[in-house]
Amino acid sequence: MQIALAALALAAGGPEQPYATPEAAMRRAARDAVRTAVPGGRLVRTAIDCIGGDAEVGERGTCGGGMIVVRRGRRAEYGLTWRSRVRRTATTTVEAKLDARRYRGARRLPERLAGGATLDGPAPPAERTDHADLVLDRGGPSNQTLSRTTWFAFPVPFWWRQAYGEGPVTLVGFAEHAYDLPPGGVCGVQAGLSARVTADPPVERDGRLIGWSRWGDDEAAILGRSDDGAGTTTWTLDQRRTARAGPAPPGIGPPELDTLVLDTYVEGTVDRYGAPGRDGYPVLAETRAQKRRCEELTDRAAATLVPRALDAARPERRARPPKPDPDDEAPTPVEPER
């Protein structure tokens, strides 16, 4: 989602990542444009955010935000237009094309800044590690707590960002990526993993799996089923979900909670916005092409992320216990210290 330029809080950015990112490439394009179009001028602040263009070779993105330019005591603020685009041309390279217009400040400074830049960096890792809270399930949502000592690590693509779920704390176990779908569209794909130990494993009934999530009464059609021969069963479910249940690793919870249940999901949504006006960015209906493309991206993510997350998920000692969130209307308590 683009940010309303006039309301953007321009702040000095922190140190850049060593890898080539769309934001860093656009900042370089901005510096080069100021150097060319504003002799003696300085780019003093930038606030740039890009949708897409970072995760895959060939992926394109759109950038929004603004910057402040100063020359000889005169100051002007510029906002990036929809024409500010980026494209990842290699795992190590991003190209940026800048288009920015002055919307406040000294009229003696150029009305428009335009230019381009190519940014190279080291090859990033293919994956990073995310974590999911471990739920101790003693019988339904009203008898659940979060483990203070253990959570589950699982891999996600390196460029995907941390996402959060509602719950007792800022629940971890989610990652997301936003794909740019012009004109004005964004496909947000989110992947999540949840982990719980319970004495009541999921059950199969009439081709459906019941009790596979932490809410207990959820059920879904079983599209596929496999057993590893050691007591662990994996079910492929509808709605881009997969669940797995088997013996809990020793020591991650009370002995009576002897079954570990992992479930994963991937979902995608399309949002589309028009050009900004006095009331911000109007919400528009997505096009058929945008909806179809988002479905393709979501299905692809489900086919690759879900099996990888399940196979690699492992318990880890968490450094700090989760903290209750006072803003949550129905918080799940944190496991008391033993």
Side-chain angles (χ1 to χ4, degrees), residues 9 18 20 38 85 106 111 128 133 144 146 148 164 181 185 196 199 223 260 265 290 330-331:
V38 192
R85 307 283 291 167
E111 181 181 350
R128 66 175 180 82
D133 287 305
Q144 293 179 344
L146 296 186
R148 296 176 60 89
Y164 302 96
L181 298 181
R196 66 186 172 103
L223 303 183
L260 171 65
Y265 81 94
Q290 288 172 329

Side-chain angles (χ1 to χ4, degrees), residues 39-314:
R42 293 182 298 118
L43 180 64
V44 295
R45 290 184 183 179
T46 61
I48 295 173
D49 186 56
C50 303
I51 298 296
D54 52 1
E56 305 167 14
V57 176
E59 183 183 344
R60 298 176 182 270
T62 299
C63 299
M67 52 193 179
I68 296 176
V69 178
V70 174
R71 182 178 65 179
R72 299 171 188 166
R74 295 185 175 91
R75 168 188 176 112
E77 299 179 21
Y78 291 82
L80 274 63
T81 74
W82 294 101
R83 296 179 181 177
S84 296
R85 307 283 291 167
V86 290
R87 182 169 71 96
R88 180 167 290 282
T89 58
T91 57
T92 59
T93 308
V94 176
E95 292 180 348
K97 291 184 178 181
L98 170 77
D99 184 71
R101 294 190 179 278
R102 188 189 69 236
Y103 65 88
R104 184 182 299 136
R107 293 187 177 182
R108 293 190 180 183
L109 295 182
E111 181 181 350
R112 180 170 176 261
L113 295 174
T118 298
L119 182 66
D120 294 303
E127 296 177 331
R128 66 175 180 82
T129 299
D130 206 342
H131 292 87
D133 287 305
L134 176 62
V135 176
L136 307 182
D137 182 4
R138 295 178 174 84
S142 61
N143 291 301
Q144 293 179 344
T145 54
L146 296 186
S147 173
R148 296 176 60 89
T149 61
T150 305
W151 56 3
F152 267 74
F154 65 99
V156 297
F158 180 78
W159 290 111
W160 283 46
R161 301 181 181 182
Q162 175 77 60
Y164 302 96
E166 297 178 359
V169 292
T170 304
L171 280 174
V172 295
F174 306 90
E176 63 186 359
H177 183 64
Y179 293 93
D180 186 37
L181 298 181
V186 178
C187 173
V189 181
Q190 186 177 88
L193 179 141
S194 66
R196 66 186 172 103
V197 286
T198 179
D200 299 312
V203 296
E204 297 181 34
R205 185 179 303 154
D206 299 326
R208 303 185 71 81
L209 188 65
I210 301 172
W212 51 271
S213 82
R214 60 175 293 196
W215 307 112
D217 58 353
D218 287 346
E219 62 177 85
I222 299 173
L223 303 183
R225 183 184 190 278
S226 63
D227 295 284
D228 70 350
T232 297
T233 302
T234 301
W235 297 273
T236 301
L237 308 176
D238 56 5
Q239 301 175 347
R240 303 184 179 105
R241 286 186 178 266
T242 301
R244 176 172 293 173
I252 69 170
E256 65 273 14
L257 305 181
D258 56 1
T259 300
L260 171 65
V261 181
L262 301 175
D263 74 84
T264 63
Y265 81 94
V266 176
E267 64 181 13
T269 57
V270 181
D271 294 305
R272 185 182 174 210
Y273 303 91
R278 290 188 175 183
D279 297 326
Y281 288 79
V283 178
L284 305 178
E286 72 272 16
T287 67
R288 291 183 179 180
Q290 288 172 329
K291 187 175 182 179
R292 182 170 60 252
R293 179 56 177 161
C294 191
E295 290 287 326
E296 293 172 355
L297 292 168
T298 306
D299 286 339
R300 188 181 66 181
T304 56
L305 271 64
V306 166
R308 175 69 179 139
L310 278 178
D311 291 342
R314 65 189 186 279

